[in-house]
Amino acid sequence: GAVVSQHPSRVICKSGTSVKIECRSLDFQATTMFWYRQFPKQSLMLMATSNEGSKATYEQGVEKDKFLINHASLTLSTLTVTSAHPEDSSFYICSAADRGQETQYFGPGTRLLVL
Amino acid sequence: KQEVTQIPAALSVPEGENLVLNCSFTDSAIYNLQWFRQDPGKGLTSLLLIQSSQREQTSGRLNASLDKSSGRSTLYIAASQPGDSATYLCAVTGAGSYQLTFGKGTKLSVIP
């Protein structure tokens, strides 16, 4: 089956620093990648949708200048949390869909802790 | 706007029991519905996917049903095992948008 990886799996950083999270589709070309965020005891919330080679589409309430998304190739999307603050601490999960977009394959997630 | 509700929020059962998890959604215009499993601090594992034209899907001890007109789905787990302990998430894909809307999940604990 299709495999999606995320790196790092866990990151701790100081407030004010930037953190980059990578999402890779290992055995298929992902024309679309999705970024989700999950706070404790809450459901996953879609943050943004990115299509290869174009700008990401952000959900309402998600700051595009704070959460920079780059989808430069068909196998890699990155999410950069700029000037991270403790309230950005969360579990970030990406998913990737191929050209048909019928099924999303999820990465294992990245736990971010901002001190 | 699609809303997905899962009941109960938490469930504790003794090993060997059969159980049912419930999911409801407000907009019946869906492309498919999926059930996921999430272990603590981990990503999601897709369990079953039901297309909007289907009524149910089965995989091993798991059976998921879909009643699109009433906006309901159930996940039936037979002969539960301690290894089934996890949070189970229901998600619907909007027709034409391919975006997923998730419920908050049901946390299942199977007691040995």
Side-chain angles (χ1 to χ4, degrees), chain A residues 69-84:
Chain A
I69 292 174
N70 184 292
H71 191 168
S73 78
L74 285 171
T75 59
L76 173 65
S77 176
T78 60
L79 168 68
T80 301
V81 183
T82 62
S83 187

Side-chain angles (χ1 to χ4, degrees), chain A residues 4-114:
Chain A
V4 175
S5 69
Q6 276 185 246
H7 178 80
S9 59
R10 182 181 299 181
V11 58
I12 300 174
C13 69
K14 292 182 179 180
S15 183
T17 60
S18 295
V19 175
K20 179 184 286 188
I21 303 171
E22 293 186 348
C23 177
R24 293 180 185 273
S25 57
L26 299 184
D27 50 4
F28 68 101
Q29 293 185 331
T31 54
T32 305
M33 287 187 170
F34 303 87
W35 286 96
Y36 296 85
R37 180 168 54 182
Q38 184 182 35
F39 291 107
K41 299 185 179 180
Q42 300 295 317
S43 60
L44 271 70
M45 297 298 295
L46 178 65
M47 298 175 66
T49 303
S50 73
N51 292 295
E52 185 266 337
S54 62
K55 291 184 178 180
T57 302
Y58 290 81
E59 295 300 299
Q60 192 172 9
V62 178
E63 300 175 56
K64 63 179 182 180
D65 294 329
K66 180 170 182 61
F67 298 98
L68 302 178
I69 292 174
N70 184 292
H71 191 168
S73 78
L74 285 171
T75 59
L76 173 65
S77 176
T78 60
L79 168 68
T80 301
V81 183
T82 62
S83 187
H85 291 286
E87 57 264 31
D88 297 323
S89 299
S90 186
F91 194 55
Y92 293 85
I93 300 179
C94 75
S95 70
D98 61 15
R99 205 169 295 276
Q101 294 189 29
E102 292 184 358
T103 302
Q104 293 182 33
Y105 301 96
F106 286 83
T110 297
R111 183 160 301 280
L112 171 64
L113 176 61
V114 184

Side-chain angles (χ1 to χ4, degrees), chain B residues 55-70:
Chain B
R55 298 283 292 184
E56 67 176 347
Q57 283 286 327
T58 298
S59 176
R61 295 183 291 110
L62 305 179
N63 176 278
S65 69
L66 173 63
D67 184 342
K68 199 176 78 162
S69 61
S70 67

